[in-house]
């Protein structure tokens, strides 16, 4: 039986840190095309380096649209 491995978990792989319009981040293996709606924010680099980049830059897990909606509610 062959065990499939998840390319997102490959500690020795080469990755990008991606960001979308909502300010959400994701790891992305460099051998897979970047999906529509996402931009490369860091890399190519190691998984660990991308993790450090994401941790340093994704300080608010809420999507930007939610942050804006909540701010509008506070102003009214």
């Amino acid at each position: 039986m062959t065990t499939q491995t998840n390319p997102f978990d490959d500690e020795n792989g080469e990755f990008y840190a991606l960001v979308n319009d909502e300010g959400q981040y994701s790891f992305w293996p460099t051998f897979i095309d970047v999906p529509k709606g996402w931009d490369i924010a860091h890399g190519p680099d190691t998984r660990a380096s991308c993790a450090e980049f994401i941790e340093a830059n994704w300080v608010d897990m809420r999507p930007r649209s939610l942050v804006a909606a909540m701010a509008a509610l506070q102003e009214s």
Side-chain angles (χ1 to χ4, degrees), residues 11-24:
E11 294 294 331
N12 298 312
E14 187 174 62
F15 291 85
Y16 295 122
L18 303 183
V19 64
N20 66 19
D21 289 342
E22 287 285 345
Q24 299 166 312

Side-chain angles (χ1 to χ4, degrees), residues 1-70:
M1 174 180 264
T2 304
T3 304
Q4 294 273 342
T5 58
N6 185 336
F8 291 86
D9 295 333
D10 183 0
E11 294 294 331
N12 298 312
E14 187 174 62
F15 291 85
Y16 295 122
L18 303 183
V19 64
N20 66 19
D21 289 342
E22 287 285 345
Q24 299 166 312
Y25 286 82
S26 179
F27 291 109
W28 202 257
T30 58
F31 67 89
I32 303 173
D33 290 339
V34 173
K36 185 176 180 179
W38 292 83
D39 295 309
I40 298 170
H42 178 79
D45 211 331
T46 63
R47 189 179 193 287
S49 179
C50 288
E52 288 175 16
F53 178 86
I54 290 171
E55 187 173 324
N57 289 279
W58 196 6
V59 295
D60 189 342
M61 300 298 261
R62 299 172 300 166
R64 283 190 184 129
S65 58
L66 177 60
V67 172
M70 292 175 74

